[in-house]
Amino acid sequence: MSRTGIGIDSHAFADGRRLVLGGIEVPSARGLVGHSDADVLTHAIVDALLGAAGLGDIGQHFPDTDPAFEDADSLDLLRAVLSDLEHAGLRATHVDATVMMERPKLSPHRDAIRARLAGVLGLEIDRMNLKATTGEGMGFVGRGEGVAALAVATLEPRT
Ligand code: MG
């Protein structure tokens, strides 16, 4: 039987930080603040995978009070969760995600981000979908204060 999980995350913009989305550094005047690399998209995907597996959330697995995860590459957190899924007899078969960001435009980087995430997840590219939208000037996304990401993951038993 398949299992589905959702994940949502947000991080604030600040000067002097990098903007990392799905493991790809996107050129931007400002980046995202966080204990790790603040890869909001990868964090949402990690939470979706954990949710589908019934394994809690990213904060339980990688506490932001733990110095081990300071400036962590979030793709390494994703790899660790995929290993947990394997031990639980599960594998990811599909991920759909949306990044909500006013600027910069995500579209020039979408294919690279998709390919990077699909590679880590071990998915065909058409099973790692990535969408982008803005906040239409409304809320923290619309005012350019930060970025939000949403993800849905589907898992199947390993056969
Ligand atoms: Mg986060």
Side-chain angles (χ1 to χ4, degrees), residues 9-25:
D9 195 28
S10 55
H11 283 265
F13 274 121
D15 294 331
R17 293 281 301 183
R18 299 182 304 144
L19 175 58
V20 181
L21 296 171
I24 299 290
E25 186 164 345

Side-chain angles (χ1 to χ4, degrees), residues 8-11 33-36 38-44 47 58 74:
I8 183 166
D9 195 28
S10 55
H11 283 265
V33 181
H35 184 64
S36 65
D39 185 340
V40 63
L41 171 58
T42 299
H43 293 179
D47 254 356
I58 191 169
S74 294

Side-chain angles (χ1 to χ4, degrees), residues 3-159:
R3 307 163 66 118
T4 304
I6 64 165
I8 183 166
D9 195 28
S10 55
H11 283 265
F13 274 121
D15 294 331
R17 293 281 301 183
R18 299 182 304 144
L19 175 58
V20 181
L21 296 171
I24 299 290
E25 186 164 345
V26 173
S28 173
R30 294 183 305 159
L32 296 176
V33 181
H35 184 64
S36 65
D37 60 5
D39 185 340
V40 63
L41 171 58
T42 299
H43 293 179
I45 291 171
V46 163
D47 254 356
L49 294 168
L50 290 171
L55 289 173
D57 69 25
I58 191 169
Q60 291 174 279
H61 288 257
F62 313 106
D64 62 9
T65 50
D66 188 335
F69 304 120
E70 193 171 345
D71 294 325
D73 178 343
S74 294
L75 291 185
D76 287 339
L77 310 186
L78 175 57
R79 290 183 186 101
V81 165
L82 291 171
S83 170
D84 290 344
L85 296 188
E86 191 175 342
H87 289 124
L90 297 165
R91 66 187 177 94
T93 56
H94 185 266
V95 172
D96 184 28
T98 300
V99 172
M100 293 186 69
M101 182 168 69
E102 214 67 8
R103 68 188 65 82
K105 284 263 177 250
L106 192 71
S107 49
H109 313 285
R110 188 198 313 242
D111 290 350
I113 294 169
R114 245 185 121 172
R116 186 68 173 275
L117 287 169
V120 173
L121 287 157
L123 294 175
E124 298 297 319
I125 198 82
D126 68 339
R127 288 177 172 267
M128 172 60 244
N129 195 58
L130 179 60
K131 308 185 301 296
T133 189
T134 69
E136 296 280 337
M138 299 177 289
F140 73 90
V141 170
R143 291 189 297 268
E145 294 169 5
V147 180
L150 261 154
V152 174
T154 305
L155 306 182
E156 303 281 348
R158 297 182 76 82
T159 49

